[in-house]
Amino acid sequence: MYGNDFSAEDAPGGGLLGEVEAAEVALREAAERGRRVGAPGPDQDLAAYFAEVIEADQKIEPRDWMPEAYRKTLIRQIAQHAHSEIIGMQPEGNWISRAPSLKRKAILLAKVQDEAGHGLYLYAAAETLGISRDELVELLLNGRQKYSSIFNYPTLTWADVGAIGWLVDGAAIVNQVPLCRCSYGPYARAMIRVCKEESFHQRQGFEILHTLTHGTGAQKAMAQDALDRWWYPSLAMFGPPDTDSTHSAQSMAWKIKRFSNDELRQRFVDMCVQQAEILGLTIPDPGLRWNESRQSYDFTQPDYDELMRVIKGDGPCNRQRAEHRRRAHDEGTWVREAAVAYAAKRAEKKEKVAA
Ligand code: FAQ
């Protein structure tokens, strides 16, 4: 058992990797075919043209005119997503030196490096909207942009690394697979690769937990404890309920988001129930039961007041995460300066050769 085998037809969760592959094919075909909606004429209203491209389910590209609010929404969401990948390296990074074997260490190291790579693709996608990476990093460091609430919870045991892979990467995939069909081309394209890599991450987390639940009683108890602590924060990752979601309606009209927060949360719960059974773990929700008429599980909602407190900076690790990031940024100043100096030297050399 390898965890949720996303590519299998009958996989719990309905073959999410298959959806990524279909989105990739659609992107490639659209690029080869060119736009069905022709370029705007000199007298055409640009807002009407933008609406027509969205309506035809085609991609908006960086060179295209777009409403200022669309650009701002994308910068907010993509930046928040990029920051989450970078801050998300901390809870797992905490365990690289303490992973229980050389093999586990190597796998975790590679996974954490992948998250850094995701942050870079996403910063690059955000830069196509006319904001620089330096500005985005500054907005993270001074607390004016957010990152996902989930990374403000501590990783207390090795089982937490498994729970992050299984639940947090699992939630990230459920949320991000539809983003492969986002109306903004650079974000959709970045998501294809990110989702493929996240599916490996999810499997490695599941495999860690599978090993623990098939180990000693103490190891199984450690896995259950991790699930007990990470379950509700993982459900909260999908954001506030639809009734309180400020951006969903507009983002869905623009086809940035394809499903609402509650729809994706439900999809995640339905996927996890069968996987928890395979692991032999109990989801800490006495209200969890199959609803025949909805063909989905009824479940207890996370504490949304807690989500709001964590988002506003009052989670268990908010201060620690921000301070660590600022320190790492300061300590990296010499690396950035050296890279700039090296680039300048190379440019100077090139100029001399050309002269
Ligand atoms: N945390 O109106 P909505 C990962 C904010 S990547 C913090 O519903 P929206 C990989 C929201 O910004 C995880 N803030 O907002 C990994 C808004 O605030 P504002 C990150 C949250 O945008 C794994 C307000 O609440 N993934 O895990 C959260 O339509 C393992 C109202 O909310 C993404 O960023 C939250 N959980 O929907 C890395 C995916 N939820 O600006 C390392 C892309 C909501 O009005 C290890 N993002 N807020 O003050 C999205 O899909 C969306 O932005 C949502 C929120 C669904 C997160």
Side-chain angles (χ1 to χ4, degrees), residues 112-169:
V112 173
Q113 281 176 337
D114 277 357
E115 309 299 357
H118 296 173
L120 298 190
Y121 310 150
L122 286 159
Y123 283 129
E127 281 190 309
T128 65
L129 290 154
I131 186 158
S132 72
R133 183 157 143 207
D134 284 349
E135 287 172 280
L136 292 167
V137 169
E138 190 48 41
L139 288 165
L140 169 67
L141 296 179
N142 65 26
R144 286 180 49 216
Q145 278 182 343
K146 300 185 172 80
Y147 58 86
S148 180
S149 51
I150 193 75
F151 302 117
N152 292 307
Y153 291 86
T155 39
L156 304 179
T157 68
W158 171 248
D160 287 12
V161 175
I164 291 187
W166 177 39
L167 296 173
V168 176
D169 284 284

Side-chain angles (χ1 to χ4, degrees), residues 54 143-144 188 225 229 240 267:
I54 297 283
R144 286 180 49 216
D225 169 63
R229 285 181 289 104
R267 193 173 185 180

Side-chain angles (χ1 to χ4, degrees), residues 76 80 146 149 169 175 237 239 245-247 257 261 311:
R76 177 187 62 80
Q80 179 168 324
K146 300 185 172 80
S149 51
D169 284 284
N175 168 266
M237 272 178 81
S245 167
T246 31
H247 303 290
K257 279 169 95 160
N261 299 355
I311 290 179

Side-chain angles (χ1 to χ4, degrees), residues 24-218:
E24 188 174 17
V25 170
L27 274 171
R28 198 165 300 132
E29 283 173 1
E32 281 161 11
R33 190 177 56 233
R35 266 204 189 137
R36 275 193 297 263
V37 177
D43 300 327
Q44 194 171 357
D45 174 354
L46 290 174
Y49 178 73
F50 170 85
E52 219 179 302
V53 173
I54 297 283
E55 175 62 28
D57 220 348
Q58 304 214 273
K59 300 295 166 213
I60 298 294
E61 296 297 340
R63 62 181 175 275
D64 292 326
W65 181 89
M66 60 189 84
E68 207 35 44
Y70 177 82
R71 183 190 303 276
K72 278 200 173 139
T73 293
L74 279 167
I75 290 178
R76 177 187 62 80
Q77 178 166 327
I78 301 173
Q80 179 168 324
H81 194 165
H83 300 328
S84 303
E85 301 282 358
I86 299 301
I87 298 284
M89 294 165 74
Q90 291 186 36
E92 288 173 301
N94 183 36
W95 278 89
I96 292 173
S97 59
R98 288 179 285 154
S101 69
L102 181 61
K103 189 175 142 202
R104 295 285 183 201
K105 215 184 275 281
I107 294 170
L108 185 57
L109 195 59
K111 187 212 188 244
V112 173
Q113 281 176 337
D114 277 357
E115 309 299 357
H118 296 173
L120 298 190
Y121 310 150
L122 286 159
Y123 283 129
E127 281 190 309
T128 65
L129 290 154
I131 186 158
S132 72
R133 183 157 143 207
D134 284 349
E135 287 172 280
L136 292 167
V137 169
E138 190 48 41
L139 288 165
L140 169 67
L141 296 179
N142 65 26
R144 286 180 49 216
Q145 278 182 343
K146 300 185 172 80
Y147 58 86
S148 180
S149 51
I150 193 75
F151 302 117
N152 292 307
Y153 291 86
T155 39
L156 304 179
T157 68
W158 171 248
D160 287 12
V161 175
I164 291 187
W166 177 39
L167 296 173
V168 176
D169 284 284
I173 299 168
V174 169
N175 168 266
Q176 288 165 30
V177 165
L179 292 175
C180 295
R181 291 187 179 273
C182 157
S183 59
Y184 188 57
Y187 193 26
R189 290 189 286 272
M191 279 302 103
I192 301 270
R193 178 150 177 191
V194 169
C195 285
K196 287 184 183 178
E197 292 178 359
E198 299 285 27
S199 90
F200 272 112
H201 297 173
Q202 198 263 359
R203 285 173 190 212
Q204 68 84 39
F206 187 95
E207 198 268 336
I208 289 173
L209 291 179
H210 195 263
T211 304
L212 290 174
T213 54
H214 291 76
T216 63

